[in-house]
Amino acid sequence: MNSTIPEYRRNATPFLYGQETAAVARVLEAGQYGHTEVTEEFEQKVAAFLGVREAVAVTSGTAAMHTALLAAGIGPGHKVIVPSLTFCATIQAILACGATPRFIEVNPDTLCIEPDAVAEAITPATRAVMPVLFGGRAIDLSSIRSTLDEQGIAVIEDAAHAFGSHSGPARVGNTGDLTCFSFGPVKNLTCGQGGMVIPRTPEEAATVRRLRLLGVVTSQAARQAATSYRVEGFGLRYQLSSINAAIGLTQLPRFKSTEVSRQELWRAYRAELHHTVGVTLVDVDVDHTVPHLCVVRVANREAVFRQMLAAGIAVGVHYPPNHLQPAFAQWRRSLPVTEQIGKEILSLPFHQHMTEDDVRHVASALKRAIGSGR
Ligand SMILES: *Cc1c(COP(=O)(O)O)cnc(C)c1O
């Protein structure tokens, strides 16, 4: 974009293919600002792309998780099993329903939850589990599926990182669970801001549609032709504007190139780093994943972080563990694996403007930082 600034100076940034501005101008010129048939076309195209029956668009990934949890009947008194290692949005969505988090550990190699850890955390108050598809990697809970079903525990995936990734032969969204995507600025596909719920049933789809529109059920067309409208339940202002949907609609047909370039970028990092002593690359199962992040674990993270910043490289941390956050202290428990991971993780610059030269530059700076830290 800006050729004077090296791309490794940005940890993440949106990738636009060039048609987005014209698409936004078209909806503005047509007066299609709010939720219109442009939003509905985006829902249908996403559903077709994923191979699912329905997709319901909302304003953000957080709104997707909030409405999905409500559609699954999650509320006060309920416990939701969730990794501590996620973006704070996952936890806020649980709290927004009046439910509370039960934090669990993740596997240090994948940063994803494991079926055993979920099974151990189940209590009579457990009503849902939220796997976070870290870095875009699919999570397989089939080994505890019957336990979850018997106890009426819903699986609500935080797939904010995982748009386009595969789970077995199908894309994420097809597991029969509720799946929540984010189309925020730096996600695999962007609407500027946006999110999507993949519901399990037509009833859940209707509930999310009602929740996103202030509890009003009547269609836009019917409302314009009537003197009243029906408020049928609780609701929020979560519908996706056509302005945002238009951005997503132009990105979607070009997604194959997103998939390929993100995989190539991740493989380039792996080629540079997988023999490096002192650096552990967090595996994303790249052949099945549209990678969202490139995370390494290093022993001396604080020093390495500072040295990388000093070298002009935009490193980050995804994420500071939530059970250590002041807002969530009430649900804090000892999670030694996550606490150790939290001290070691470092996210390298990862976005589609980067070239293999940028990757080599980052990798050699990392090797220097590790070497001088020992
Ligand atoms: C981005 C993100 C979210 C929230 O999505 P928004 O669209 O920003 O609301 C939730 N969980 C994870 C893991 C994310 O990366």
Side-chain angles (χ1 to χ4, degrees):
M1 298 270 274
N2 187 339
S3 57
T4 59
I5 300 174
E7 293 300 343
Y8 50 76
R9 291 189 187 260
R10 305 190 281 191
N11 188 256
T13 189
F15 188 81
L16 300 183
Y17 286 96
Q19 319 298 314
E20 290 83 354
T21 311
V24 168
R26 273 199 303 280
V27 297
L28 292 179
E29 282 156 14
Q32 293 169 311
Y33 306 118
H35 174 109
T36 70
E37 58 274 13
V38 178
T39 313
E40 281 156 24
E41 185 188 346
F42 181 53
E43 291 177 331
Q44 286 151 16
K45 294 261 166 75
V46 167
F49 173 82
L50 298 175
V52 299
R53 194 181 45 230
E54 280 196 271
V56 185
V58 290
T59 41
S60 68
T62 309
M65 293 187 287
H66 185 192
T67 52
L69 284 158
L70 290 174
I74 308 307
H78 297 164
K79 284 262 172 216
V80 179
I81 296 173
V82 64
S84 171
L85 197 78
T86 180
F87 188 39
C88 59
T90 324
I91 315 310
Q92 299 289 22
I94 295 167
L95 297 179
C97 301
T100 54
R102 169 62 155 80
F103 291 120
I104 63 167
E105 299 275 28
V106 290
N107 178 325
D109 298 326
T110 63
L111 307 186
C112 288
I113 60 168
E114 296 282 348
D116 286 352
V118 175
E120 277 169 28
I122 294 173
T123 68
T126 307
R127 287 292 191 291
V129 48
M130 294 190 80
V132 175
L133 282 66
F134 199 101
R137 188 187 176 108
I139 295 178
D140 181 6
L141 293 181
S142 55
S143 64
I144 56 165
R145 173 65 57 184
S146 57
T147 309
L148 296 174
D149 289 348
E150 277 160 26
Q151 309 200 33
I153 299 170
V155 177
I156 298 158
E157 294 183 305
D158 178 348
H161 294 177
F163 187 79
S165 290
H166 282 82
S167 168
R171 297 216 194 243
V172 166
N174 277 279
T175 43
D177 298 314
L178 276 148
T179 302
C180 303
F181 293 109
S182 164
F183 303 132
V186 302
K187 299 297 158 72
N188 290 351
L189 184 131
T190 188
C191 288
Q193 298 282 356
M196 193 75 84
V197 177
I198 311 304
R200 293 175 295 188
T201 62
E203 294 72 37
E204 271 176 0
T207 302
V208 175
R209 292 208 162 91
R210 192 196 74 216
L211 286 167
R212 76 174 171 188
L213 233 144
L214 297 166
V216 175
V217 178
T218 335
S219 75
Q220 186 93 11
R223 275 216 308 284
Q224 280 163 4
T227 54
S228 186
Y229 55 80
R230 280 173 66 82
V231 185
E232 295 205 347
F234 174 73
L236 296 147
R237 192 53 134 180
Y238 275 171
Q239 80 272 32
L240 186 71
S241 84
S242 301
I243 303 167
N244 295 108
I247 298 172
L249 267 173
T250 63
Q251 295 236 314
L252 194 57
R254 297 165 177 88
F255 191 79
K256 186 69 205 170
S257 105
T258 292
E259 179 167 6
V260 170
S261 56
R262 297 189 83 92
Q263 287 178 332
E264 282 176 355
L265 192 63
W266 197 90
R267 288 189 184 111
Y269 268 122
R270 181 176 60 189
E272 290 294 325
L273 293 174
H274 83 297
H275 286 313
T276 306
V277 177
V279 176
T280 308
L281 188 60
V282 172
D283 188 42
V284 295
D285 187 19
V286 66
D287 295 341
H288 304 107
T289 296
V290 183
H292 175 61
L293 296 170
C294 183
V295 176
V296 294
R297 291 193 286 117
V298 295
N300 200 0
R301 200 268 315 275
E302 293 307 307
V304 173
F305 186 91
R306 279 196 305 277
Q307 278 200 49
M308 294 293 275
L309 282 191
I313 294 169
V315 282
V317 173
H318 296 85
Y319 297 92
N322 282 288
H323 71 288
L324 304 177
Q325 293 286 5
F328 311 137
Q330 220 180 313
W331 304 288
R332 187 171 296 172
R333 42 200 300 282
S334 169
L335 294 172
V337 176
T338 299
E339 283 158 31
Q340 187 60 31
I341 291 168
K343 291 179 191 150
E344 294 179 353
I345 45 177
L346 183 73
S347 301
L348 303 176
F350 195 82
H351 56 81
Q352 283 160 259
H353 297 283
M354 290 184 68
T355 63
E356 294 202 9
D357 278 344
D358 292 320
V359 169
R360 275 191 289 276
H361 183 83
V362 174
S364 53
L366 181 61
K367 288 171 192 173
R368 274 197 306 278
I370 301 284
S372 58
R374 272 195 276 185

